[in-house]
Amino acid sequence: MSLHPSLQKHRSSPSAIIVGAGLGGLAAGIHLARHGWQVTIFEKNRHAGGRMNVLEEAGFRIDMGPTMLMMPEVLHEIFSIGDRDPHDYLPLTKLCPAYRILWPDGTTLDMGVEMNCLVEQVRRIQAADAARVPALLAAMKAKYENARYRFIERSFNSPLDLLHPTTLVGLLKALPLESVYQMVSRYLANEKLRQAFSFQTLYLGISPYRCPSIYALLPYVEMEFGVWFPIGGTYTLARGLERLFIELGGQIRYCLPVDQIAIQGRAAKGVRTADGCEHLADIVVCNLDLPSAYQKLIPNALRRKYSDGALAQKDYGCSGFLLYLGVKGLSLTHLPHNSIVLSENYNEVLDQIFIQRALPTDPAMHLCVPTHTDPSLAPPDHHVLYILVPCPNTQSNICWETAAPILRDRTIGKLERLGLIPNLHQHIVFERWFTPVDFEKLYGCYAGAAYGGLTPTFFQSAYFRPHSRSEEIENLYFVGASTHPGGGVPIVLTSGKLTAELIRKDYARQIFRTN
């Protein structure tokens, strides 16, 4: 096995190979490089960012992944390294409202606004619930503080981490047996309002009826810290991280997939790439979706806890069907930057996605018009429309080759039928779609689960979620949405930071024992 040229220099410095230039891999690489590590990232695609991808065609620039950024202090923290100005890397604009919820009967609710405005809107929907909104958001604030400081920003790699007094107190406060929907329902009686303050768990790939109440925090985060959009699109974040990583001395090898983790005994020694070369490093960090990484990069014979059979038994989140549209000659001033279009029969749609694993007949959707905030994303007199529809992952029996055009027509038909975008189909000049199969093929998402792979149930969270340090192979670490602390842009960046800190501590102990 030979050293990659990038790892032959400064061999006195510890070296790391990272598999995948997603946000977690970039964040881990940045935090290692800033402490003098020699870091090389191998990325199978032509660009960094992973699921934070961009489609540039026919004069349109369309974000393919996340369209909303939250917790800006976490985003800016990583760019504050070395007296850098975060705004040079990520020029953020606050969205107000964060998004508008739209029901089929014409009811609307703007989220991510000032408390007085939110309470007044709720009063128009159901007066009795208006007085309870501040108490609900106060409870959500407590959930946020408990989750962030007792779970999200702490590593869980041994039973002692779980049994730590701080963690045990946090578990008691989390009320893990109560779902997000149940928690919200203790405060609000109106069904529409219950939906408005609980549907956000879909961005974690799980139904609000099943998601533990520790995750009942997003409406508070949206209101307290805001929802943001970078000029140039959310892919600006990926490009900013890539730029910072390279400035710190990191290297990225694009269009070079890793075929296997190189293992000697039960210790990772490097990687074997698709060109047949082997590359050595002191540690390996895998940013590929963890279940896919174990299945594709490590022989089944070397795996106990994460054998193919064990991986198949785990609980994976839902996926998403995405429409990327360029439209011409439409006035969309009645729509904000982000809208959430819910369904007439909310329960039935969730059952179709999570229980029946069938195409939703009345699709709920996230509708984004980013050209309201940044007109440069489309040619003059054009708009970008980004439409995300929650749907089953590839463990369903859906054939997406035939299902995609059906769901496309249902989605566009609903926007036209509700009068949200009349005659939309006549104004489409550019169109692409992205299915759960594409999540599996392009990004390596196990079962095409788009929002972090493993659902954040109680027994797939914190200590029970896959650890940053491999439990099977020495010198192997994981980062990204399928490991602790979970999915979401700021959480994945935190994952990169926690993993890098753990690597540095482990390496320092190893050097101390050697000496």
Side-chain angles (χ1 to χ4, degrees):
M1 187 180 289
S2 62
L3 278 176
H4 185 273
S6 67
L7 301 179
Q8 291 174 350
K9 304 174 184 177
H10 312 294
R11 195 61 185 89
S12 59
S13 300
S15 60
I17 286 175
I18 298 178
V19 182
L23 300 188
L26 288 169
I30 287 168
H31 286 290
L32 289 173
R34 69 181 290 210
H35 287 96
W37 283 62
Q38 302 298 310
V39 187
T40 300
I41 299 179
F42 292 94
E43 168 56 51
K44 75 167 187 173
N45 294 314
R46 297 179 179 273
H47 48 77
R51 277 167 273 188
M52 183 171 278
N53 199 353
V54 66
L55 176 63
E56 296 181 278
E57 195 174 337
F60 295 97
R61 178 183 170 87
I62 307 176
D63 286 312
M64 298 177 67
T67 62
M68 301 190 297
L69 299 179
M70 293 183 285
M71 300 172 67
E73 76 283 3
V74 175
L75 307 179
H76 280 160
E77 178 191 24
I78 196 169
F79 291 110
S80 299
I81 294 169
D83 297 323
R84 289 167 168 82
D85 184 351
H87 299 92
D88 290 341
Y89 297 82
L90 190 65
L92 291 175
T93 297
K94 188 175 183 179
L95 302 178
C96 192
Y99 53 87
R100 178 171 297 151
I101 302 177
L102 304 163
W103 284 273
D105 66 359
T107 304
T108 66
L109 180 67
D110 284 353
M111 299 290 284
V113 296
E114 296 291 331
M115 179 70 80
N116 290 342
C117 177
L118 181 61
V119 169
E120 184 54 38
Q121 292 181 87
V122 169
R123 182 173 286 111
R124 290 197 294 268
I125 296 174
Q126 183 150 329
D129 280 346
R132 303 187 187 102
V133 169
L136 171 60
L137 287 166
M140 289 182 166
K141 177 182 179 180
K143 295 281 186 186
Y144 162 78
E145 292 177 343
N146 183 44
R148 181 168 182 181
Y149 301 115
R150 288 190 168 96
F151 297 99
I152 293 174
E153 295 190 355
R154 294 190 61 226
S155 292
F156 288 87
N157 289 287
S158 78
L160 293 178
D161 296 323
L162 178 64
L163 297 174
H164 192 281
T166 300
T167 304
L168 295 176
V169 170
L171 284 173
L172 290 174
K173 289 187 175 183
L175 291 174
L177 298 180
E178 182 181 50
S179 73
V180 169
Y181 183 84
Q182 288 170 329
M183 182 258 190
V184 170
S185 298
R186 288 195 286 109
Y187 292 86
L188 303 175
N190 183 272
E191 178 57 27
K192 285 191 176 72
L193 295 174
R194 289 175 173 179
Q195 295 170 13
F197 286 89
S198 66
F199 85 90
Q200 295 85 356
T201 67
L202 294 174
Y203 290 115
L204 303 175
I206 187 171
S207 165
Y209 298 127
R210 189 162 169 254
C211 185
S213 65
I214 191 173
Y215 295 101
L217 46 81
L218 285 176
Y220 164 75
V221 172
E222 293 160 357
M223 188 179 76
E224 180 66 21
F225 304 105
V227 169
W228 302 76
F229 183 79
I231 298 303
T234 53
Y235 189 67
T236 302
L237 171 59
R239 287 207 168 136
L241 293 170
E242 174 193 42
R243 173 185 154 196
L244 177 58
F245 174 67
I246 293 171
E247 288 174 356
L248 292 169
Q251 295 191 25
I252 306 180
R253 303 282 306 279
Y254 289 109
C255 301
L256 190 52
V258 168
D259 283 349
Q260 192 171 15
I261 305 294
I263 299 171
Q264 183 177 327
R266 295 201 68 87
K269 296 298 183 180
V271 299
R272 183 174 297 109
T273 47
D275 59 359
C277 293
E278 294 181 326
H279 312 265
L280 282 175
D282 293 307
I283 62 97
V284 175
V285 181
C286 193
N287 188 206
L288 181 63
D289 185 48
L290 182 141
S292 294
Y294 270 117
Q295 188 177 61
K296 297 177 180 179
L297 304 182
I298 301 171
N300 194 41
L302 294 178
R303 295 183 267 132
R304 296 184 291 265
K305 184 173 182 179
Y306 294 110
S307 66
D308 287 349
L311 291 172
Q313 295 302 312
K314 291 194 175 294
D315 190 359
Y316 297 92
C318 70
S319 191
F321 172 75
L322 295 112
L323 277 174
Y324 309 117
L325 305 179
V327 298
K328 181 180 180 181
L330 276 175
S331 174
L332 300 173
T333 54
H334 60 291
L335 294 172
H337 185 110
N338 289 299
S339 300
I340 305 298
V341 184
L342 293 180
S343 305
E344 190 166 357
N345 193 329
Y346 184 74
N347 298 351
E348 181 180 324
V349 169
L350 291 179
D351 282 350
Q352 288 172 339
I353 296 170
F354 293 100
I355 298 175
Q356 301 170 27
R357 295 185 176 181
L359 281 187
T361 52
D362 179 21
M365 68 189 81
H366 174 184
L367 170 65
C368 180
V369 191
T371 37
H372 280 335
T373 304
D374 186 356
S376 71
L377 299 175
D381 194 36
H382 290 70
H383 278 292
V384 164
L385 291 182
Y386 164 107
I387 305 172
L388 166 62
V389 177
C391 64
N393 63 37
T394 59
Q395 291 177 324
S396 68
N397 293 320
I398 296 171
C399 172
W400 281 101
E401 188 173 340
T402 56
I406 295 172
L407 191 51
R408 177 259 190 204
D409 289 347
R410 287 179 186 175
T411 302
I412 292 174
K414 179 173 180 174
L415 291 171
E416 293 179 333
R417 185 176 67 255
L418 296 179
L420 294 175
I421 311 182
N423 302 312
L424 169 58
H425 70 282
Q426 297 178 8
H427 295 270
I428 297 172
V429 297
F430 175 82
E431 178 176 355
R432 296 288 184 273
W433 61 53
F434 200 86
T435 74
V437 173
D438 296 313
F439 277 104
E440 200 167 22
K441 288 182 177 179
L442 186 62
Y443 305 135
C445 299
Y446 190 96
Y451 303 102
L454 298 169
T455 53
T457 56
F458 177 74
F459 286 108
Q460 292 188 163
S461 297
Y463 173 76
F464 302 108
R465 199 169 183 84
H467 302 168
S468 301
R469 183 198 296 123
S470 173
E471 299 164 81
E472 310 273 13
I473 307 296
E474 293 180 19
N475 302 332
L476 176 61
Y477 297 80
F478 292 94
V479 66
S482 57
T483 62
H484 173 75
V489 171
I491 309 305
V492 166
L493 294 180
T494 301
S495 168
K497 177 182 177 181
L498 292 175
T499 300
E501 290 174 350
L502 179 65
I503 288 168
R504 289 172 49 234
K505 290 178 182 177
D506 287 351
Y507 187 77
R509 282 195 291 265
Q510 184 180 354
I511 295 299
F512 178 80
R513 288 197 300 267
T514 302
N515 294 336

PDB file of all heavy atoms in Angstrom, residues 162-189:
ATOM      1  N   LEU A 162     -24.006   7.832  28.306  1.00  0.00           N
ATOM      2  CA  LEU A 162     -25.450   7.727  28.524  1.00  0.00           C
ATOM      3  C   LEU A 162     -25.794   7.867  29.998  1.00  0.00           C
ATOM      4  O   LEU A 162     -26.821   8.463  30.348  1.00  0.00           O
ATOM      5  CB  LEU A 162     -25.952   6.380  27.989  1.00  0.00           C
ATOM      6  CG  LEU A 162     -27.439   6.087  28.177  1.00  0.00           C
ATOM      7  CD1 LEU A 162     -28.300   7.074  27.391  1.00  0.00           C
ATOM      8  CD2 LEU A 162     -27.751   4.653  27.753  1.00  0.00           C
ATOM      9  N   LEU A 163     -24.943   7.330  30.863  1.00  0.00           N
ATOM     10  CA  LEU A 163     -25.235   7.307  32.299  1.00  0.00           C
ATOM     11  C   LEU A 163     -24.761   8.571  33.021  1.00  0.00           C
ATOM     12  O   LEU A 163     -24.912   8.672  34.242  1.00  0.00           O
ATOM     13  CB  LEU A 163     -24.588   6.077  32.939  1.00  0.00           C
ATOM     14  CG  LEU A 163     -25.106   4.729  32.425  1.00  0.00           C
ATOM     15  CD1 LEU A 163     -24.297   3.586  33.026  1.00  0.00           C
ATOM     16  CD2 LEU A 163     -26.593   4.562  32.726  1.00  0.00           C
ATOM     17  N   HIS A 164     -24.205   9.505  32.286  1.00  0.00           N
ATOM     18  CA  HIS A 164     -23.770  10.764  32.896  1.00  0.00           C
ATOM     19  C   HIS A 164     -24.983  11.457  33.524  1.00  0.00           C
ATOM     20  O   HIS A 164     -26.070  11.488  32.934  1.00  0.00           O
ATOM     21  CB  HIS A 164     -23.135  11.665  31.840  1.00  0.00           C
ATOM     22  CG  HIS A 164     -22.406  12.839  32.402  1.00  0.00           C
ATOM     23  ND1 HIS A 164     -23.066  13.972  32.842  1.00  0.00           N
ATOM     24  CD2 HIS A 164     -21.087  13.076  32.608  1.00  0.00           C
ATOM     25  CE1 HIS A 164     -22.186  14.852  33.288  1.00  0.00           C
ATOM     26  NE2 HIS A 164     -20.978  14.327  33.161  1.00  0.00           N
ATOM     27  N   PRO A 165     -24.849  12.014  34.739  1.00  0.00           N
ATOM     28  CA  PRO A 165     -26.002  12.650  35.410  1.00  0.00           C
ATOM     29  C   PRO A 165     -26.699  13.700  34.550  1.00  0.00           C
ATOM     30  O   PRO A 165     -27.934  13.781  34.549  1.00  0.00           O
ATOM     31  CB  PRO A 165     -25.370  13.285  36.655  1.00  0.00           C
ATOM     32  CG  PRO A 165     -24.174  12.434  36.937  1.00  0.00           C
ATOM     33  CD  PRO A 165     -23.654  12.000  35.609  1.00  0.00           C
ATOM     34  N   THR A 166     -25.923  14.489  33.805  1.00  0.00           N
ATOM     35  CA  THR A 166     -26.523  15.511  32.941  1.00  0.00           C
ATOM     36  C   THR A 166     -27.420  14.872  31.893  1.00  0.00           C
ATOM     37  O   THR A 166     -28.516  15.373  31.599  1.00  0.00           O
ATOM     38  CB  THR A 166     -25.415  16.333  32.248  1.00  0.00           C
ATOM     39  OG1 THR A 166     -24.614  16.951  33.241  1.00  0.00           O
ATOM     40  CG2 THR A 166     -26.023  17.400  31.359  1.00  0.00           C
ATOM     41  N   THR A 167     -26.972  13.757  31.329  1.00  0.00           N
ATOM     42  CA  THR A 167     -27.760  13.066  30.311  1.00  0.00           C
ATOM     43  C   THR A 167     -29.029  12.479  30.908  1.00  0.00           C
ATOM     44  O   THR A 167     -30.115  12.569  30.308  1.00  0.00           O
ATOM     45  CB  THR A 167     -26.931  11.947  29.658  1.00  0.00           C
ATOM     46  OG1 THR A 167     -25.728  12.515  29.133  1.00  0.00           O
ATOM     47  CG2 THR A 167     -27.698  11.276  28.548  1.00  0.00           C
ATOM     48  N   LEU A 168     -28.925  11.879  32.080  1.00  0.00           N
ATOM     49  CA  LEU A 168     -30.098  11.283  32.718  1.00  0.00           C
ATOM     50  C   LEU A 168     -31.150  12.343  33.048  1.00  0.00           C
ATOM     51  O   LEU A 168     -32.351  12.122  32.851  1.00  0.00           O
ATOM     52  CB  LEU A 168     -29.679  10.529  33.979  1.00  0.00           C
ATOM     53  CG  LEU A 168     -28.769   9.311  33.748  1.00  0.00           C
ATOM     54  CD1 LEU A 168     -28.352   8.710  35.076  1.00  0.00           C
ATOM     55  CD2 LEU A 168     -29.479   8.268  32.891  1.00  0.00           C
ATOM     56  N   VAL A 169     -30.695  13.504  33.515  1.00  0.00           N
ATOM     57  CA  VAL A 169     -31.628  14.606  33.773  1.00  0.00           C
ATOM     58  C   VAL A 169     -32.286  15.028  32.471  1.00  0.00           C
ATOM     59  O   VAL A 169     -33.504  15.273  32.412  1.00  0.00           O
ATOM     60  CB  VAL A 169     -30.899  15.793  34.433  1.00  0.00           C
ATOM     61  CG1 VAL A 169     -31.804  17.022  34.470  1.00  0.00           C
ATOM     62  CG2 VAL A 169     -30.444  15.434  35.835  1.00  0.00           C
ATOM     63  N   GLY A 170     -31.489  15.109  31.399  1.00  0.00           N
ATOM     64  CA  GLY A 170     -32.039  15.489  30.104  1.00  0.00           C
ATOM     65  C   GLY A 170     -33.076  14.509  29.594  1.00  0.00           C
ATOM     66  O   GLY A 170     -34.091  14.903  29.016  1.00  0.00           O
ATOM     67  N   LEU A 171     -32.840  13.208  29.816  1.00  0.00           N
ATOM     68  CA  LEU A 171     -33.803  12.204  29.383  1.00  0.00           C
ATOM     69  C   LEU A 171     -35.127  12.357  30.123  1.00  0.00           C
ATOM     70  O   LEU A 171     -36.209  12.221  29.534  1.00  0.00           O
ATOM     71  CB  LEU A 171     -33.238  10.798  29.609  1.00  0.00           C
ATOM     72  CG  LEU A 171     -32.174  10.327  28.621  1.00  0.00           C
ATOM     73  CD1 LEU A 171     -31.595   9.002  29.069  1.00  0.00           C
ATOM     74  CD2 LEU A 171     -32.759  10.210  27.220  1.00  0.00           C
ATOM     75  N   LEU A 172     -35.060  12.632  31.407  1.00  0.00           N
ATOM     76  CA  LEU A 172     -36.288  12.826  32.178  1.00  0.00           C
ATOM     77  C   LEU A 172     -37.066  14.041  31.665  1.00  0.00           C
ATOM     78  O   LEU A 172     -38.293  14.024  31.569  1.00  0.00           O
ATOM     79  CB  LEU A 172     -35.954  13.001  33.663  1.00  0.00           C
ATOM     80  CG  LEU A 172     -35.443  11.752  34.383  1.00  0.00           C
ATOM     81  CD1 LEU A 172     -35.016  12.097  35.805  1.00  0.00           C
ATOM     82  CD2 LEU A 172     -36.512  10.655  34.403  1.00  0.00           C
ATOM     83  N   LYS A 173     -36.330  15.102  31.319  1.00  0.00           N
ATOM     84  CA  LYS A 173     -36.990  16.310  30.813  1.00  0.00           C
ATOM     85  C   LYS A 173     -37.541  16.116  29.404  1.00  0.00           C
ATOM     86  O   LYS A 173     -38.472  16.803  29.002  1.00  0.00           O
ATOM     87  CB  LYS A 173     -36.008  17.479  30.818  1.00  0.00           C
ATOM     88  CG  LYS A 173     -35.656  18.003  32.204  1.00  0.00           C
ATOM     89  CD  LYS A 173     -34.814  19.263  32.101  1.00  0.00           C
ATOM     90  CE  LYS A 173     -34.576  19.859  33.489  1.00  0.00           C
ATOM     91  NZ  LYS A 173     -33.808  21.128  33.400  1.00  0.00           N
ATOM     92  N   ALA A 174     -36.963  15.185  28.666  1.00  0.00           N
ATOM     93  CA  ALA A 174     -37.351  15.013  27.270  1.00  0.00           C
ATOM     94  C   ALA A 174     -38.714  14.353  27.109  1.00  0.00           C
ATOM     95  O   ALA A 174     -39.341  14.476  26.061  1.00  0.00           O
ATOM     96  CB  ALA A 174     -36.300  14.167  26.552  1.00  0.00           C
ATOM     97  N   LEU A 175     -39.195  13.667  28.122  1.00  0.00           N
ATOM     98  CA  LEU A 175     -40.451  12.908  28.024  1.00  0.00           C
ATOM     99  C   LEU A 175     -40.452  12.067  26.746  1.00  0.00           C
ATOM    100  O   LEU A 175     -41.253  12.281  25.838  1.00  0.00           O
ATOM    101  CB  LEU A 175     -41.662  13.853  28.036  1.00  0.00           C
ATOM    102  CG  LEU A 175     -41.940  14.568  29.362  1.00  0.00           C
ATOM    103  CD1 LEU A 175     -43.072  15.573  29.189  1.00  0.00           C
ATOM    104  CD2 LEU A 175     -42.296  13.579  30.448  1.00  0.00           C
ATOM    105  N   PRO A 176     -39.538  11.107  26.627  1.00  0.00           N
ATOM    106  CA  PRO A 176     -39.363  10.403  25.360  1.00  0.00           C
ATOM    107  C   PRO A 176     -40.571   9.591  24.913  1.00  0.00           C
ATOM    108  O   PRO A 176     -40.696   9.271  23.739  1.00  0.00           O
ATOM    109  CB  PRO A 176     -38.166   9.484  25.641  1.00  0.00           C
ATOM    110  CG  PRO A 176     -38.148   9.308  27.128  1.00  0.00           C
ATOM    111  CD  PRO A 176     -38.619  10.618  27.676  1.00  0.00           C
ATOM    112  N   LEU A 177     -41.473   9.258  25.831  1.00  0.00           N
ATOM    113  CA  LEU A 177     -42.630   8.447  25.448  1.00  0.00           C
ATOM    114  C   LEU A 177     -43.764   9.282  24.874  1.00  0.00           C
ATOM    115  O   LEU A 177     -44.758   8.744  24.390  1.00  0.00           O
ATOM    116  CB  LEU A 177     -43.128   7.642  26.653  1.00  0.00           C
ATOM    117  CG  LEU A 177     -42.110   6.644  27.230  1.00  0.00           C
ATOM    118  CD1 LEU A 177     -42.711   5.905  28.415  1.00  0.00           C
ATOM    119  CD2 LEU A 177     -41.636   5.672  26.165  1.00  0.00           C
ATOM    120  N   GLU A 178     -43.615  10.602  24.912  1.00  0.00           N
ATOM    121  CA  GLU A 178     -44.621  11.499  24.351  1.00  0.00           C
ATOM    122  C   GLU A 178     -44.176  11.936  22.961  1.00  0.00           C
ATOM    123  O   GLU A 178     -43.029  12.296  22.754  1.00  0.00           O
ATOM    124  CB  GLU A 178     -44.783  12.720  25.255  1.00  0.00           C
ATOM    125  CG  GLU A 178     -45.860  13.698  24.780  1.00  0.00           C
ATOM    126  CD  GLU A 178     -45.967  14.900  25.710  1.00  0.00           C
ATOM    127  OE1 GLU A 178     -44.914  15.510  26.025  1.00  0.00           O
ATOM    128  OE2 GLU A 178     -47.089  15.240  26.104  1.00  0.00           O
ATOM    129  N   SER A 179     -45.104  11.909  21.995  1.00  0.00           N
ATOM    130  CA  SER A 179     -44.751  12.331  20.642  1.00  0.00           C
ATOM    131  C   SER A 179     -44.842  13.852  20.524  1.00  0.00           C
ATOM    132  O   SER A 179     -45.436  14.532  21.378  1.00  0.00           O
ATOM    133  CB  SER A 179     -45.690  11.688  19.625  1.00  0.00           C
ATOM    134  OG  SER A 179     -46.980  12.284  19.689  1.00  0.00           O
ATOM    135  N   VAL A 180     -44.270  14.375  19.454  1.00  0.00           N
ATOM    136  CA  VAL A 180     -44.351  15.816  19.194  1.00  0.00           C
ATOM    137  C   VAL A 180     -45.821  16.241  19.072  1.00  0.00           C
ATOM    138  O   VAL A 180     -46.236  17.254  19.642  1.00  0.00           O
ATOM    139  CB  VAL A 180     -43.571  16.183  17.920  1.00  0.00           C
ATOM    140  CG1 VAL A 180     -43.867  17.619  17.505  1.00  0.00           C
ATOM    141  CG2 VAL A 180     -42.080  15.970  18.128  1.00  0.00           C
ATOM    142  N   TYR A 181     -46.606  15.470  18.334  1.00  0.00           N
ATOM    143  CA  TYR A 181     -48.020  15.821  18.156  1.00  0.00           C
ATOM    144  C   TYR A 181     -48.753  15.812  19.497  1.00  0.00           C
ATOM    145  O   TYR A 181     -49.574  16.699  19.772  1.00  0.00           O
ATOM    146  CB  TYR A 181     -48.681  14.848  17.182  1.00  0.00           C
ATOM    147  CG  TYR A 181     -50.129  15.183  16.887  1.00  0.00           C
ATOM    148  CD1 TYR A 181     -50.445  16.120  15.910  1.00  0.00           C
ATOM    149  CD2 TYR A 181     -51.164  14.579  17.590  1.00  0.00           C
ATOM    150  CE1 TYR A 181     -51.767  16.443  15.639  1.00  0.00           C
ATOM    151  CE2 TYR A 181     -52.481  14.894  17.324  1.00  0.00           C
ATOM    152  CZ  TYR A 181     -52.777  15.829  16.353  1.00  0.00           C
ATOM    153  OH  TYR A 181     -54.081  16.157  16.103  1.00  0.00           O
ATOM    154  N   GLN A 182     -48.468  14.819  20.340  1.00  0.00           N
ATOM    155  CA  GLN A 182     -49.115  14.763  21.656  1.00  0.00           C
ATOM    156  C   GLN A 182     -48.719  15.958  22.519  1.00  0.00           C
ATOM    157  O   GLN A 182     -49.557  16.537  23.206  1.00  0.00           O
ATOM    158  CB  GLN A 182     -48.733  13.454  22.363  1.00  0.00           C
ATOM    159  CG  GLN A 182     -49.386  12.223  21.784  1.00  0.00           C
ATOM    160  CD  GLN A 182     -48.809  10.937  22.350  1.00  0.00           C
ATOM    161  OE1 GLN A 182     -47.629  10.869  22.701  1.00  0.00           O
ATOM    162  NE2 GLN A 182     -49.643   9.903  22.446  1.00  0.00           N
ATOM    163  N   MET A 183     -47.453  16.330  22.463  1.00  0.00           N
ATOM    164  CA  MET A 183     -46.991  17.467  23.249  1.00  0.00           C
ATOM    165  C   MET A 183     -47.687  18.750  22.806  1.00  0.00           C
ATOM    166  O   MET A 183     -48.194  19.530  23.617  1.00  0.00           O
ATOM    167  CB  MET A 183     -45.471  17.596  23.112  1.00  0.00           C
ATOM    168  CG  MET A 183     -44.870  18.730  23.941  1.00  0.00           C
ATOM    169  SD  MET A 183     -44.522  20.146  22.883  1.00  0.00           S
ATOM    170  CE  MET A 183     -43.590  21.169  24.008  1.00  0.00           C
ATOM    171  N   VAL A 184     -47.752  18.978  21.489  1.00  0.00           N
ATOM    172  CA  VAL A 184     -48.419  20.180  20.963  1.00  0.00           C
ATOM    173  C   VAL A 184     -49.906  20.164  21.308  1.00  0.00           C
ATOM    174  O   VAL A 184     -50.491  21.199  21.646  1.00  0.00           O
ATOM    175  CB  VAL A 184     -48.196  20.277  19.440  1.00  0.00           C
ATOM    176  CG1 VAL A 184     -49.067  21.365  18.826  1.00  0.00           C
ATOM    177  CG2 VAL A 184     -46.722  20.531  19.126  1.00  0.00           C
ATOM    178  N   SER A 185     -50.506  18.985  21.269  1.00  0.00           N
ATOM    179  CA  SER A 185     -51.951  18.869  21.537  1.00  0.00           C
ATOM    180  C   SER A 185     -52.310  19.187  22.982  1.00  0.00           C
ATOM    181  O   SER A 185     -53.468  19.504  23.281  1.00  0.00           O
ATOM    182  CB  SER A 185     -52.444  17.466  21.170  1.00  0.00           C
ATOM    183  OG  SER A 185     -52.272  17.216  19.790  1.00  0.00           O
ATOM    184  N   ARG A 186     -51.339  19.113  23.889  1.00  0.00           N
ATOM    185  CA  ARG A 186     -51.620  19.500  25.273  1.00  0.00           C
ATOM    186  C   ARG A 186     -51.836  21.003  25.408  1.00  0.00           C
ATOM    187  O   ARG A 186     -52.417  21.467  26.379  1.00  0.00           O
ATOM    188  CB  ARG A 186     -50.467  19.065  26.189  1.00  0.00           C
ATOM    189  CG  ARG A 186     -50.412  17.568  26.424  1.00  0.00           C
ATOM    190  CD  ARG A 186     -49.512  17.197  27.591  1.00  0.00           C
ATOM    191  NE  ARG A 186     -48.091  17.317  27.292  1.00  0.00           N
ATOM    192  CZ  ARG A 186     -47.295  18.239  27.783  1.00  0.00           C
ATOM    193  NH1 ARG A 186     -47.777  19.185  28.589  1.00  0.00           N
ATOM    194  NH2 ARG A 186     -45.999  18.261  27.478  1.00  0.00           N
ATOM    195  N   TYR A 187     -51.379  21.751  24.417  1.00  0.00           N
ATOM    196  CA  TYR A 187     -51.507  23.207  24.463  1.00  0.00           C
ATOM    197  C   TYR A 187     -52.568  23.743  23.505  1.00  0.00           C
ATOM    198  O   TYR A 187     -53.213  24.760  23.793  1.00  0.00           O
ATOM    199  CB  TYR A 187     -50.160  23.863  24.113  1.00  0.00           C
ATOM    200  CG  TYR A 187     -49.103  23.649  25.155  1.00  0.00           C
ATOM    201  CD1 TYR A 187     -48.305  22.501  25.143  1.00  0.00           C
ATOM    202  CD2 TYR A 187     -48.881  24.580  26.168  1.00  0.00           C
ATOM    203  CE1 TYR A 187     -47.328  22.293  26.092  1.00  0.00           C
ATOM    204  CE2 TYR A 187     -47.915  24.380  27.131  1.00  0.00           C
ATOM    205  CZ  TYR A 187     -47.134  23.231  27.090  1.00  0.00           C
ATOM    206  OH  TYR A 187     -46.169  23.027  28.049  1.00  0.00           O
ATOM    207  N   LEU A 188     -52.742  23.093  22.354  1.00  0.00           N
ATOM    208  CA  LEU A 188     -53.620  23.617  21.309  1.00  0.00           C
ATOM    209  C   LEU A 188     -54.737  22.636  21.001  1.00  0.00           C
ATOM    210  O   LEU A 188     -54.498  21.434  20.867  1.00  0.00           O
ATOM    211  CB  LEU A 188     -52.814  23.892  20.038  1.00  0.00           C
ATOM    212  CG  LEU A 188     -51.622  24.860  20.178  1.00  0.00           C
ATOM    213  CD1 LEU A 188     -50.856  24.943  18.872  1.00  0.00           C
ATOM    214  CD2 LEU A 188     -52.092  26.238  20.628  1.00  0.00           C
ATOM    215  N   ALA A 189     -55.954  23.158  20.873  1.00  0.00           N
ATOM    216  CA  ALA A 189     -57.119  22.313  20.600  1.00  0.00           C
ATOM    217  C   ALA A 189     -57.450  22.244  19.117  1.00  0.00           C
ATOM    218  O   ALA A 189     -58.010  21.254  18.648  1.00  0.00           O
ATOM    219  CB  ALA A 189     -58.333  22.840  21.371  1.00  0.00           C
TER     220      ALA A 189
END
